[in-house]
Amino acid sequence: MAELSEQRTDLPQALEKAVAEASGLAGEKPITVVAEYPAHLPAVRAAKPQVVRMIGNVIGQAINAVDQGEITVGAEILPDPEDGPGPWAVVSIRIPASDQASQQAIDLAMAIEAEVNDDASELPRIRSDARALGGDLWLDDPDADRPRLMLSFPL
């Protein structure tokens, strides 16, 4: 079991900063990053620089995986499950719908499952960091028109 951090981070502030920083990563690609989340979310158990870095890096990986469209960043609270710890704040990064969405989802899922090393993808490292905090990183609904990368933080 991961040891929960005693530091607390205001999630809306961290999301705002991560989205602003990651939006510039699109460069010349016709990509927009849109944030849609409730005005009030509880604080997560992690240091703000770490939360901003992790969210920003996942957004950056989504930008790298697509050629165009809208990447939507959202957040929600998942309740305490019956079979484990919780609750969590879950940040979702939805990739744009495209003809290549299923292949992009497969590529992202494979990157998440890879070993932490010096590869171009930061996803294995982010997943390791999330798990060390008591959260996780996964690809939700890879067969959907707009698959989502999900990053959870303990409350």
Side-chain angles (χ1 to χ4, degrees):
M1 174 85 173
E3 188 166 321
L4 296 178
S5 173
E6 292 304 315
Q7 294 185 16
R8 301 281 187 169
T9 295
D10 180 80
L11 189 54
Q13 287 179 0
L15 282 164
E16 185 176 322
K17 185 170 178 149
V19 167
E21 290 177 3
S23 293
L25 299 174
E28 297 297 315
K29 288 182 177 182
I31 293 174
T32 56
V33 180
V34 177
E36 299 176 347
Y37 51 86
H40 175 74
L41 290 165
V44 297
R45 289 180 183 250
K48 185 174 182 178
Q50 186 175 28
V51 173
V52 170
R53 178 186 53 80
M54 291 170 66
I55 295 169
N57 284 346
V58 175
I59 296 169
Q61 292 300 306
I63 289 170
N64 289 340
V66 300
D67 295 323
Q68 63 183 0
E70 181 179 281
I71 294 173
T72 308
V73 180
E76 62 185 303
I77 304 302
L78 291 183
D80 228 353
E82 292 179 20
D83 62 342
W88 295 277
V90 179
V91 175
S92 64
I93 294 92
R94 189 177 297 272
I95 65 172
S98 71
D99 293 338
Q100 299 85 24
S102 64
Q103 184 58 50
Q104 292 161 341
I106 290 168
D107 293 346
L108 289 167
M110 289 175 58
I112 290 169
E113 296 298 330
E115 293 295 319
V116 175
N117 57 31
D118 293 330
D119 284 352
S121 176
E122 285 285 314
L123 295 174
R125 184 168 287 109
I126 297 165
R127 184 180 213 186
S128 176
D129 290 349
R131 286 181 170 176
L133 292 170
D136 205 353
L137 171 67
W138 69 97
L139 183 70
D140 185 52
D141 203 5
D143 296 324
D145 287 342
R146 295 189 66 200
R148 299 183 303 172
L149 289 160
M150 308 292 281
L151 179 60
S152 64
F153 296 95
L155 298 179

